[in-house]
Amino acid sequence: MRAIRVFFFVVLAVVLVLVAAANREFVTISLLPEALAPFAGGQWSLTMPGFVALFLAMVFGVLVGLVWEWLRESGLRAESGRRAQHLADLEREVGHLRQTHAAPRDEVLAILDDAARKPANPAALPAQGTTLPAPR
Protein backbone atom coordinates (compact mmCIF):
# COMPACT_ATOMS: atom_id res chain seq x y z
CA MET A 1 0.00 0.00 0.00
CA ARG A 2 2.86 2.36 0.79
CA ALA A 3 4.40 1.70 -2.62
CA ILE A 4 1.15 2.66 -4.32
CA ARG A 5 1.00 5.89 -2.32
CA VAL A 6 4.60 6.77 -3.17
CA PHE A 7 3.98 5.97 -6.83
CA PHE A 8 0.89 8.20 -6.84
CA PHE A 9 2.80 11.13 -5.32
CA VAL A 10 5.68 10.71 -7.77
CA VAL A 11 3.28 10.72 -10.73
CA LEU A 12 1.47 13.75 -9.28
CA ALA A 13 4.78 15.61 -8.82
CA VAL A 14 5.84 14.86 -12.40
CA VAL A 15 2.49 16.07 -13.75
CA LEU A 16 2.67 19.27 -11.70
CA VAL A 17 6.23 19.98 -12.87
CA LEU A 18 5.19 19.42 -16.50
CA VAL A 19 2.20 21.76 -16.09
CA ALA A 20 4.44 24.38 -14.50
CA ALA A 21 7.01 24.09 -17.30
CA ALA A 22 4.31 24.38 -19.97
CA ASN A 23 2.66 27.46 -18.40
CA ARG A 24 5.53 29.82 -17.60
CA GLU A 25 4.08 32.80 -19.48
CA PHE A 26 2.84 35.68 -17.37
CA VAL A 27 -0.91 36.19 -17.15
CA THR A 28 -2.92 38.98 -15.59
CA ILE A 29 -5.72 37.94 -13.27
CA SER A 30 -8.36 40.62 -12.66
CA LEU A 31 -10.58 40.34 -9.62
CA LEU A 32 -13.04 42.98 -10.88
CA PRO A 33 -14.13 43.91 -14.38
CA GLU A 34 -12.27 46.95 -15.76
CA ALA A 35 -15.47 49.00 -15.69
CA LEU A 36 -15.86 48.53 -11.90
CA ALA A 37 -12.18 48.86 -10.94
CA PRO A 38 -12.19 52.71 -10.78
CA PHE A 39 -15.15 52.68 -8.39
CA ALA A 40 -13.45 50.22 -6.05
CA GLY A 41 -10.31 52.33 -5.93
CA GLY A 42 -6.99 50.83 -6.84
CA GLN A 43 -5.76 48.11 -9.09
CA TRP A 44 -7.63 44.85 -8.68
CA SER A 45 -5.41 42.67 -10.86
CA LEU A 46 -2.31 40.57 -10.39
CA THR A 47 0.33 39.52 -12.91
CA MET A 48 1.88 36.12 -12.30
CA PRO A 49 3.08 33.03 -14.16
CA GLY A 50 0.25 30.89 -15.50
CA PHE A 51 1.12 27.83 -13.40
CA VAL A 52 1.00 29.90 -10.19
CA ALA A 53 -2.51 31.10 -11.10
CA LEU A 54 -3.53 27.51 -11.87
CA PHE A 55 -2.10 26.15 -8.62
CA LEU A 56 -3.69 28.95 -6.58
CA ALA A 57 -7.04 28.19 -8.22
CA MET A 58 -6.68 24.50 -7.29
CA VAL A 59 -5.77 25.32 -3.68
CA PHE A 60 -8.69 27.75 -3.46
CA GLY A 61 -11.04 25.07 -4.82
CA VAL A 62 -9.82 22.50 -2.32
CA LEU A 63 -10.25 24.95 0.57
CA VAL A 64 -13.76 25.91 -0.55
CA GLY A 65 -14.63 22.20 -0.84
CA LEU A 66 -13.30 21.47 2.65
CA VAL A 67 -15.30 24.31 4.19
CA TRP A 68 -18.40 23.31 2.22
CA GLU A 69 -18.20 19.68 3.41
CA TRP A 70 -17.46 20.72 7.00
CA LEU A 71 -20.59 22.88 7.01
CA ARG A 72 -22.65 20.18 5.27
CA GLU A 73 -21.62 17.54 7.81
CA SER A 74 -22.21 19.69 10.88
CA GLY A 75 -25.66 18.14 11.33
CA LEU A 76 -24.14 14.66 11.18
CA ARG A 77 -21.52 15.57 13.77
CA ALA A 78 -24.19 17.01 16.07
CA GLU A 79 -26.34 13.88 15.72
CA SER A 80 -23.31 11.70 16.41
CA GLY A 81 -22.59 13.66 19.59
CA ARG A 82 -26.19 13.31 20.74
CA ARG A 83 -26.14 9.57 20.10
CA ALA A 84 -22.82 9.16 21.91
CA GLN A 85 -24.24 10.98 24.93
CA HIS A 86 -27.38 8.82 24.82
CA LEU A 87 -25.25 5.67 24.60
CA ALA A 88 -23.16 6.78 27.59
CA ASP A 89 -26.36 7.40 29.57
CA LEU A 90 -27.71 3.95 28.67
CA GLU A 91 -24.43 2.25 29.61
CA ARG A 92 -24.42 4.07 32.93
CA GLU A 93 -28.02 2.97 33.55
CA VAL A 94 -27.28 -0.65 32.65
CA GLY A 95 -24.29 -0.65 34.99
CA HIS A 96 -26.45 0.72 37.79
CA LEU A 97 -29.13 -1.91 37.11
CA ARG A 98 -26.55 -4.70 37.16
CA GLN A 99 -25.26 -3.55 40.54
CA THR A 100 -28.77 -3.20 41.92
CA HIS A 101 -30.05 -6.56 40.69
CA ALA A 102 -26.84 -8.48 41.34
CA ALA A 103 -26.80 -7.54 45.03
CA PRO A 104 -28.19 -10.22 47.35
CA ARG A 105 -31.59 -9.40 48.76
CA ASP A 106 -31.20 -10.97 52.18
CA GLU A 107 -28.51 -12.46 54.39
CA VAL A 108 -29.40 -16.09 53.71
CA LEU A 109 -29.01 -15.60 49.96
CA ALA A 110 -25.71 -13.82 50.53
CA ILE A 111 -24.41 -16.79 52.55
CA LEU A 112 -25.54 -19.21 49.84
CA ASP A 113 -23.92 -17.11 47.13
CA ASP A 114 -20.63 -17.02 49.04
CA ALA A 115 -20.76 -20.77 49.56
CA ALA A 116 -21.36 -21.37 45.86
CA ARG A 117 -18.36 -19.25 44.96
CA LYS A 118 -15.92 -20.87 47.44
CA PRO A 119 -15.05 -24.58 47.38
CA ALA A 120 -16.32 -26.46 50.42
CA ASN A 121 -13.15 -28.49 51.02
CA PRO A 122 -9.83 -27.00 49.83
CA ALA A 123 -8.14 -30.40 50.29
CA ALA A 124 -10.46 -31.89 47.68
CA LEU A 125 -8.94 -29.67 45.01
CA PRO A 126 -6.17 -31.24 42.93
CA ALA A 127 -2.66 -30.08 43.72
CA GLN A 128 -1.30 -27.47 41.40
CA GLY A 129 0.98 -28.77 38.72
CA THR A 130 -0.55 -32.27 38.52
CA THR A 131 -2.44 -33.50 35.52
CA LEU A 132 -4.16 -36.41 37.25
CA PRO A 133 -7.93 -36.45 37.43
CA ALA A 134 -9.57 -35.43 40.70
CA PRO A 135 -10.13 -38.25 43.25
CA ARG A 136 -13.65 -39.73 43.43
Side-chain angles (χ1 to χ4, degrees):
M1 189 64 165
R2 181 182 168 123
I4 294 172
R5 187 179 313 139
V6 169
F7 176 74
F8 174 75
F9 283 124
V10 167
V11 169
L12 181 64
V14 168
V15 168
L16 291 177
V17 167
L18 290 174
V19 167
N23 295 292
R24 291 180 297 182
E25 308 83 36
F26 281 87
V27 294
T28 301
I29 306 293
S30 297
L31 299 177
L32 290 175
E34 289 183 25
L36 293 178
F39 298 117
Q43 182 183 3
W44 289 84
S45 62
L46 296 171
T47 302
M48 63 184 79
F51 71 91
V52 172
L54 181 65
F55 292 163
L56 286 176
M58 286 191 292
V59 168
F60 179 73
V62 168
L63 291 177
V64 167
L66 286 173
V67 170
W68 185 274
E69 284 299 308
W70 183 77
L71 291 173
R72 187 184 68 84
E73 293 172 352
S74 64
L76 295 173
R77 285 192 306 274
E79 178 67 21
S80 175
R82 283 192 296 273
R83 287 185 184 210
Q85 181 62 39
H86 184 66
L87 178 63
D89 292 342
L90 289 176
E91 287 176 347
R92 194 175 318 113
E93 184 178 343
V94 166
H96 176 70
L97 289 174
R98 282 185 181 155
Q99 290 176 351
T100 302
H101 291 293
R105 293 198 177 115
D106 73 20
E107 295 173 10
V108 174
L109 291 175
I111 293 170
L112 290 175
D113 284 342
D114 286 343
R117 283 188 216 125
K118 296 179 187 174
N121 183 4
L125 291 175
Q128 290 184 355
T130 63
T131 58
L132 298 174
R136 295 178 197 223

